[in-house]
Amino acid sequence: MINAWRFSISRNVRTIRSPIEGLKHSSCIYCVWDGVAIARCAHVLRAVQYLHDHCLREEEQRTVDAMTPTEAWNGQGEPIAWRPTEEYLQRSRLLRFMHAEGFENYDAFLQRANTDPAWFWDAVARDLDLRWYRPYTRVMDTSDGLPWTRWWIDGQFNYVANALDKYLGLLDPPSGQPAPPAESEGQPTTHHPARPDALAVIWEGEEGNVRRLTYAELAQLTNQAANALTALGIGPGDRVGIFMPMIPETVAAVLACGKIGAVYIPIFSGYGAEAVANRLRDSMAKALITADGFLRRGKIVAMKAAADEACHLAESVEHMLVVRRADNAVAWNHDRDHWWHELVLAQSPVCATRVTDAEDPYMIIYTSGTTGRPKGAVHVHGGFPIKAAQDLAHCFDLQPDDTLFWLTDIGWMMGPWAISGTLMLGATLLIYDGTPDYPGPDRLWALAERHGVTVMGVAPTAIRSLMNFGPEPVTQHDLSRLRIIGSTGEPWNLEPWKWCFTHVGGGRCPIINYSGGTEIAGGIVGCTTITPIKPCSFAGPVPGIAADVVDDAGQPVRGAVGELIIRQPWPGMTRGFWRDRQRYLETYWSQLPDTWVHGDFAAIDSDGFWYILGRSDDTIKIAGKRLGPAEAESAAVGAGLVAEAAAIGVPHPIKGETLVVFVVPRPGQSDTPALRETVRAAVAAALGPALKPEAIFVISQLPRTRNGKILRRLIRQSYLGLPLGDLSSIENPAVLEEIAAYRPSAG
């Protein structure tokens, strides 16, 4: 029996050791109180946990009370909410990986990974069973400087071969590696045998239609799409825009580009023509794959009309491949346009995967900048897909018998991440092209029950919205197969986190909080299934990411807010911004020598749990005190009257800045002086009188991207009457007029 925890608790020092530390003592758990061993028996686990939690709660609260207001972040005073059970430990891919590399202690494992990234990523390549056309001779080369690190030197690697061909038995293990063994009960192997009949993709449309594709069927559709692109003159290095809803053809189109060595541009399905055109023009795309339309709350969104206008503005586009999804009427350019069902389905289902170098680009994914044109992060075959697979394996414990569903879009990082990572691990990917509350507030939970979802990703903003309907839409569905909840996009507030943990996860599923970015190719910090979890927190850096929290001089800080940084390169890091080398260096590498400064504020508490507090460029500085917006927002939501809040700093003649908070009332609440004053008082009580908001403004919704990120920059600039810059990522631009109505000059 694997013992779950080994504790060391004292009145002055409280640490939670990794479960790994106690594995050699498989029948024992130690509890030390002031240096005296008071328990050494597996049966006292519950008592030890109770003792630890209640001492932690009491003592940490004194610590929180002693902090300055800006040092108390959301969830920091909470006890541990989840610990891995023996079932999670026995199943863990990460734990097996550690043991295979000779480690029993998780902290020691992370330390080795941080100080020796070449060793770590070489081990990851074995753990993920990556298949190479030609093996690499060195793991990494930093001779051009850390920002331009090259990986898998001399290696030939195509991620599509690892996502499809491997499971069809078409790609052999590396030379000298034994053939994949059969899986033994209770001990899944990291080697992936051919399994062409396993489910690769499940799709459910908003209208309820369902399609399922095995690995063999997905490979056939991908091959036909690849042959169609080749017939149109698309070849290695050519850029192809993919402006699509989340449907099976989207997955095949993504993989087809990689299969022939082309570079795809994922474009958010809700963008207007100008935003699509900007990305096509900047990347000089030669082709665009789109759909006639898609459904949104039962109504057809005319996608091709936006694509037509975008291609008129982007003269590089020679061909448009159109999937018939909504069957709506479309305009047609006979010299440019091709129906997917006519061109693709007429192609041969056989297509050899192109041999590519590990450093060959396969994707340019754009993120909106504060000013100027969007930033095109360049990613390569041996980068983003490997990082995605590694994070899914080691943080989310995704395995071949799992079904992953992540509410996302192809234009957001999590869309490409879910496609490449899930398929490279041989699991099943569920995709959905509708909204989370249509036709009813139980749609997500019905999806999870209907398709046996085991790993489910939702943004905190979706939970905040859905919890307004109460727990009944969740509890009426059987979510017993669900074992992991994923979360990314923005910081949690305490109440939504607890609601999700209790009602969605039943108090048994870990919430794997996960934060990183498009340029990262995944997570900087995250949770795992072998480490304890506090509400709203992260266990620490994702394995292989040498992250830290530092002050302005680059020195580590604990128990206070600092900048989130990374000290070592990793394969998934962007190879720079497309046609803008200097902007990449200025954005991430200019503040501290040989250090990636991510632009997030973070903190590490006394037990080693990490917290992301929002973008550092959203920081509010009031009379010399630095305030992260998440702190004020959590306090506002905690008043119990508002569902969401966004805090900004506005100029003040004496304090430098003062705090203004925009709030969205809960159902049944309205904009009244009593509501505004209650929220204002709650923020002041949480942060201190010196940080009391200057004003509380009520609006119908917060401006945000479709993947849930609150656009505080646009709130501030709209309120102050400043230029708004790039608006392509905003889902609900009309709300900016509501904000502008509160502008001081507007009376």
Side-chain angles (χ1 to χ4, degrees):
M1 174 180 178
I2 296 181
N3 135 50
W5 298 109
R6 182 180 179 187
F7 295 94
S8 172
I9 310 174
S10 77
R11 290 192 177 94
N12 299 313
V13 179
R14 303 174 314 281
T15 60
I16 307 166
R17 300 300 181 194
S18 153
I20 315 311
E21 185 173 336
L23 284 177
K24 287 185 177 179
H25 311 279
S26 60
S27 64
C28 300
I29 297 172
Y30 297 86
C31 176
V32 180
W33 184 254
D34 271 0
V36 179
I38 60 171
R40 191 187 180 196
C41 174
H43 298 293
V44 302
L45 177 58
R46 291 181 182 272
V48 172
Q49 290 177 346
Y50 178 88
L51 176 64
H52 179 269
D53 286 351
H54 284 262
C55 293
L56 186 68
R57 181 192 294 270
E58 177 184 351
E59 201 161 309
E60 271 204 344
Q61 190 58 53
R62 290 197 296 270
T63 304
V64 173
D65 292 343
M67 287 180 172
T68 63
T70 57
E71 290 173 325
W73 48 88
N74 193 48
Q76 195 266 341
E78 290 292 311
I80 291 166
W82 183 88
R83 289 187 173 84
T85 62
E86 184 176 343
E87 178 184 1
Y88 281 92
L89 295 173
Q90 287 278 11
R91 182 180 170 88
S92 169
R93 284 191 62 136
L94 177 57
L95 195 51
R96 291 199 305 275
F97 176 42
M98 288 176 51
H99 287 166
E101 297 302 320
F103 285 88
E104 300 287 341
N105 181 279
Y106 186 54
D107 291 338
F109 170 74
L110 291 183
Q111 181 62 26
R112 174 75 190 276
N114 291 345
T115 57
D116 192 352
W119 162 81
F120 177 78
W121 290 103
D122 186 43
V124 166
R126 294 190 300 273
D127 181 60
L128 298 181
D129 187 27
L130 300 181
R131 308 288 176 87
W132 306 80
Y133 290 110
R134 183 175 68 202
Y136 50 91
T137 57
R138 284 182 295 151
V139 176
M140 57 190 292
D141 180 356
T142 61
S143 59
D144 292 332
L146 293 188
W148 306 108
T149 300
R150 295 186 303 120
W151 292 86
W152 320 114
I153 310 306
D154 299 322
Q156 291 180 330
F157 177 89
N158 187 307
Y159 89 96
V160 179
N162 282 265
L164 291 179
D165 299 354
K166 179 166 65 176
Y167 299 105
L168 305 185
L170 302 178
L171 195 63
D172 292 332
S175 177
Q177 182 172 303
E183 294 186 7
S184 58
E185 185 176 354
Q187 287 295 320
T189 176
T190 57
H191 298 289
H192 301 284
R195 45 201 305 267
D197 296 329
L199 268 182
V201 172
I202 305 170
W203 168 76
E204 181 167 313
E206 188 181 78
E207 73 278 28
N209 291 343
V210 174
R211 289 168 61 191
R212 293 178 173 87
L213 296 177
T214 66
Y215 273 85
E217 291 166 338
L218 178 59
Q220 176 175 316
L221 186 60
T222 297
N223 289 344
Q224 290 178 301
N227 287 329
L229 290 173
T230 300
L232 295 176
I234 306 300
D238 288 336
R239 273 79 64 201
V240 178
I242 298 182
F243 176 47
M244 298 268 281
M246 291 297 276
I247 57 179
E249 288 81 2
T250 305
V251 178
V254 164
L255 297 171
C257 289
K259 192 174 188 73
I260 65 173
V263 179
Y264 83 98
I265 319 299
I267 302 173
F268 170 47
S269 63
Y271 275 156
E274 182 62 35
V276 177
N278 285 341
R279 286 148 179 81
L280 297 176
R281 278 196 304 256
D282 189 70
S283 64
M284 298 175 288
K286 191 173 179 179
L288 176 65
I289 306 176
T290 190
D292 55 356
F294 62 94
L295 298 176
R296 186 63 76 236
R297 298 189 179 280
K299 298 180 179 179
I300 292 177
V301 177
M303 199 171 208
K304 188 176 184 294
D308 286 337
E309 186 178 347
C311 288
H312 177 73
L313 299 171
E315 297 181 355
S316 64
V317 177
E318 300 175 11
H319 299 283
M320 185 190 298
L321 191 53
V322 185
V323 176
R324 181 172 281 164
R325 163 68 180 101
D327 205 22
N328 53 299
V330 296
W332 202 256
N333 181 332
H334 291 279
D335 294 328
R336 181 198 64 196
D337 299 347
H338 312 270
W339 282 113
W340 176 284
H341 62 273
E342 293 178 353
L343 180 61
V344 172
L345 300 188
Q347 301 296 318
S348 167
V350 177
C351 179
T353 303
R354 183 176 181 82
V355 176
T356 51
D357 287 341
E359 285 289 308
D360 282 351
Y362 88 102
M363 177 176 70
I364 302 171
I365 183 167
Y366 283 85
T367 60
S368 297
T370 303
T371 59
R373 63 186 178 91
K375 302 171 292 187
V378 178
H379 287 291
V380 301
H381 280 268
F384 187 113
I386 293 176
K387 168 69 169 162
Q390 184 247 339
D391 284 7
L392 277 167
H394 294 162
C395 294
F396 298 92
D397 198 35
L398 191 73
Q399 305 197 33
D401 60 349
D402 279 314
T403 296
L404 172 77
F405 170 60
W406 207 288
L407 184 64
T408 187
D409 186 274
I410 192 59
W412 306 130
M413 187 210 84
M414 300 306 288
W417 177 90
I419 291 171
S420 60
T422 304
L423 298 178
M424 285 176 65
L425 295 175
T428 302
L429 175 65
L430 170 64
I431 55 176
Y432 170 61
D433 68 351
T435 54
D437 58 353
Y438 184 86
D442 68 330
R443 186 60 186 268
L444 291 187
W445 325 123
L447 275 168
E449 178 184 24
R450 192 155 43 242
H451 301 294
V453 171
T454 56
V455 181
M456 184 175 190
V458 291
T461 184
I463 296 299
R464 292 189 196 106
S465 174
L466 294 172
M467 65 186 286
N468 289 322
F469 298 102
E472 290 78 16
V474 184
T475 56
Q476 68 181 332
H477 293 284
D478 179 6
L479 300 182
S480 59
R481 290 197 61 187
L482 184 66
R483 63 185 189 86
I484 291 170
I485 301 168
S487 164
T488 193
E490 59 178 330
W492 279 99
N493 307 107
L494 186 58
E495 185 182 0
W497 190 97
K498 288 185 172 181
W499 188 92
C500 182
F501 180 71
T502 301
H503 299 297
V504 181
R508 59 179 177 79
C509 297
I511 296 180
I512 304 297
N513 210 3
Y514 182 70
S515 182
T518 301
E519 296 87 346
I520 302 293
I524 299 175
V525 292
C527 298
T528 77
T529 63
I530 65 170
T531 47
I533 296 173
K534 277 187 182 181
C536 309
S537 74
F538 304 84
V542 171
I545 300 294
D548 202 350
V549 178
V550 301
D551 60 19
D552 293 340
Q555 297 303 307
V557 295
R558 300 295 182 264
V561 178
E563 284 273 4
L564 181 65
I565 61 98
I566 307 174
R567 301 188 189 278
Q568 294 276 19
W570 65 101
M573 62 191 282
T574 180
R575 299 317 191 256
F577 296 152
W578 176 253
R579 300 193 304 152
D580 206 339
R581 178 185 179 97
Q582 189 58 35
R583 189 180 184 189
Y584 163 64
L585 294 174
E586 290 173 354
T587 301
Y588 293 113
W589 296 96
S590 61
Q591 295 187 44
L592 296 169
D594 281 339
T595 302
W596 177 291
V597 180
H598 192 60
D600 278 345
F601 272 138
I604 305 173
D605 73 10
S606 57
D607 289 311
F609 290 90
W610 293 47
Y611 300 82
I612 299 295
L613 306 178
R615 298 294 296 170
S616 54
D617 51 12
D618 289 333
T619 306
I620 305 162
K621 295 182 179 178
I622 302 174
K625 296 181 176 66
R626 190 167 66 179
L627 175 68
E631 302 166 64
E633 293 159 5
S634 292
V637 172
L641 301 177
V642 300
E644 296 185 294
I648 62 170
V650 301
H652 189 277
I654 299 174
K655 299 179 181 179
E657 283 190 319
T658 189
L659 179 63
V660 169
V661 183
F662 288 82
V663 299
V664 178
R666 287 190 171 186
Q669 300 292 336
S670 58
D671 183 5
T672 64
L675 179 144
R676 283 182 262 120
E677 187 52 40
T678 299
V679 173
R680 192 165 179 246
V683 176
L687 303 182
L691 300 178
K692 188 174 185 177
E694 186 79 10
I696 304 293
F697 295 124
V698 176
I699 54 179
S700 62
Q701 55 185 318
L702 299 179
R704 58 180 7 113
T705 63
R706 190 178 175 213
N707 66 338
K709 292 185 178 180
I710 298 170
L711 295 167
R712 296 178 185 85
R713 171 185 66 84
L714 291 182
I715 295 174
R716 186 176 190 275
Q717 287 170 260
S718 183
Y719 176 70
L720 295 177
L722 301 174
L724 297 179
D726 180 22
L727 296 178
S728 62
S729 65
I730 186 172
E731 183 185 32
N732 49 348
V735 74
L736 298 179
E737 298 178 9
E738 292 184 50
I739 296 167
Y742 287 114
R743 190 177 300 159
S745 60

